[in-house]
Amino acid sequence: MKRVQLFLVLVVALMFLPASVFAGGQDEAASSGKITVTFAGTEAATTTQSKMMQAVADVLNADGRFDAEVLVAGALSGDTDALVTQAKLGVPLVVPSDPGRLASQFNIPDMNILMAPYILTDPAVLEKLPDTELFKTWSSQLEKQGIVLIADMYNGFRNFYTVDKVEHVEDLSGMRIRGFGNDIGNALAKHFGFANIAIPFGEVFPAIQQGALDGTEVQVSAAAGNAFWDVTPYIAITKHYMLQTAFVCSTRLLNGMPDDAREFFLKTIREKALEYGKTGEEAEDGLYQKMVDNGVTITEVDLREFQDAIAPLYKNNDLKFSPGLKEKLFDQLGM
């Protein structure tokens, strides 16, 4: 109950930001002729996602037309959906969300396929994704609701980080695992048999430490960036999601920019998303080794067993995909 009350207070407080904090920043920027934008994320400053946003901000600020800052590790809010809502309302934010969150938040079920378990398994396809008709359709549906999908960046495969060893699907049964609080997260929990506890990422470490959670499913960059080796001695390499960071901003922010500045803004984010997605992929082996060096045991599970456990999700169409969606996506990606 206290968490709900705290969240409501946060949301109400954020609703006043456009008229106070951000309005003040925009007024100052307007007097200097600059465009104010804040990159706001929940991951630690050391993760690929956070480094990418800082790299973009550096390029924008060096250009001279922008006044960009980066607030990570939940400095503005630890709730991604709340940040996206603020962007939708016109706050000058760029927020790293993901396709599954956006699909649930904006009621675009087909978009879930980008993050659905064991559908996309090769980061290289993300380079082609923005040119597909499906991506353009989803982008258009988001823009009608006040949000622009700028880029989709590879951010690592999600695995299970737990206090007890997981070797088989049945080992997850009854565990309290922090996962996505959306359709995809709930579907994964249903078919793998764990209790999905959808709390802000910043609360995961202390929750595991205090015994309120048995683990989390997360990408290695975030796990290493938050020293999860101190609370989760086991990793099961299930690779159930290929996590993508979907960078979004408000249509109001984008439409308020001069054409040349808008083109530069979008181009910079898209280029850095590709660059840092590849950088993050190359860094993963080293991060896994860092987990091992800090005492974590890595288990290579039988992926077929986990894929078979997920199969009913698609047979029953739990995610309400349009007929032939997977085939259409694969065709447009040239897979």
Side-chain angles (χ1 to χ4, degrees):
M1 187 62 174
K2 289 183 178 179
R3 182 176 292 141
V4 173
Q5 292 174 335
L6 180 61
F7 176 75
L8 290 175
V9 169
L10 173 64
V11 171
V12 172
L14 280 170
M15 289 180 68
F16 286 97
L17 286 177
S20 55
V21 176
F22 289 102
Q26 284 183 300
D27 289 342
E28 183 178 345
S31 64
S32 63
K34 293 187 176 182
I35 301 164
T36 296
V37 59
T38 298
F39 292 79
T42 62
E43 292 187 3
T46 56
T47 69
T48 303
Q49 174 178 289
S50 296
K51 289 179 179 179
M52 176 273 185
M53 292 191 293
Q54 186 60 60
V56 172
D58 290 344
V59 172
L60 295 179
N61 287 331
D63 174 72
R65 289 174 290 183
F66 295 86
D67 181 8
E69 67 172 337
V70 179
L71 298 176
V72 295
L76 185 57
S77 170
D79 189 299
T80 298
D81 291 349
L83 289 170
V84 172
T85 296
Q86 289 307 301
K88 175 183 176 179
L89 295 174
V91 180
L93 299 176
V94 173
V95 181
S97 182
D98 67 72
R101 285 182 180 274
L102 296 174
S104 292
Q105 193 171 1
F106 294 91
N107 193 26
I108 308 174
D110 279 356
M111 197 173 178
N112 272 315
I113 198 165
L114 295 178
M115 285 275 295
Y118 302 113
I119 294 294
L120 293 183
T121 58
D122 181 2
V125 302
L126 297 183
E127 189 167 352
K128 303 176 183 178
L129 183 62
D131 295 324
T132 65
E133 288 304 315
L134 282 170
F135 187 88
K136 292 173 183 177
T137 297
W138 298 327
S139 297
S140 177
Q141 290 172 325
L142 286 170
E143 287 183 33
K144 290 176 182 176
Q145 299 182 64
I147 284 289
V148 175
L149 176 55
I150 305 172
D152 213 22
M153 182 185 83
Y154 172 72
N155 198 17
F157 285 97
R158 304 271 286 203
N159 300 297
F160 287 98
Y161 292 68
T162 54
V163 296
D164 294 316
K165 192 173 185 178
V166 172
E167 296 180 283
H168 303 283
V169 175
E170 63 186 24
D171 295 332
L172 290 167
S173 180
M175 280 191 176
R176 296 160 297 176
I177 302 291
R178 187 271 183 178
F180 290 127
N182 53 28
D183 294 336
I184 285 179
N186 293 330
L188 188 78
K190 172 185 174 182
H191 292 283
F192 280 175
F194 63 86
N196 188 30
I197 312 298
I199 62 174
F201 186 69
E203 297 179 19
V204 174
F205 187 105
I208 298 174
Q209 193 173 46
Q210 295 161 17
L213 287 179
D214 299 306
T216 184
E217 55 90 17
V218 72
Q219 67 276 18
V220 69
S221 60
N226 288 271
F228 271 26
W229 50 74
D230 286 334
V231 291
T232 55
Y234 297 100
I235 304 173
I237 304 296
T238 54
K239 295 186 175 182
H240 47 273
Y241 300 140
M242 189 177 82
L243 179 63
Q244 299 139 57
T245 295
F247 293 97
V248 299
C249 72
S250 75
T251 54
R252 185 184 302 178
L253 170 64
L254 208 58
N255 292 340
M257 297 181 189
D259 291 347
D260 58 342
R262 179 168 59 248
E263 182 179 346
F264 179 74
F265 176 78
L266 294 174
K267 180 174 180 287
T268 300
I269 294 176
R270 288 166 180 163
E271 288 179 349
K272 291 299 179 185
L274 285 175
E275 176 187 340
Y276 276 79
K278 293 176 181 176
T279 298
E281 185 181 1
E282 293 167 356
E284 285 182 327
D285 286 345
L287 292 175
Y288 282 120
Q289 186 59 51
K290 187 173 184 179
M291 300 295 292
V292 171
D293 291 344
N294 281 277
V296 174
T297 298
I298 294 180
T299 302
E300 297 285 349
V301 304
D302 179 359
L303 287 183
R304 175 58 61 185
E305 177 187 343
F306 285 79
Q307 291 167 345
D308 288 346
I310 282 295
L313 183 156
Y314 301 111
K315 182 178 180 181
N316 301 331
N317 198 19
D318 292 355
L319 295 174
K320 299 179 174 58
F321 290 149
S322 299
L325 178 64
K326 177 182 173 181
E327 293 73 19
K328 186 182 296 185
L329 177 64
F330 280 20
D331 179 63
Q332 292 179 15
L333 288 171
M335 295 173 62

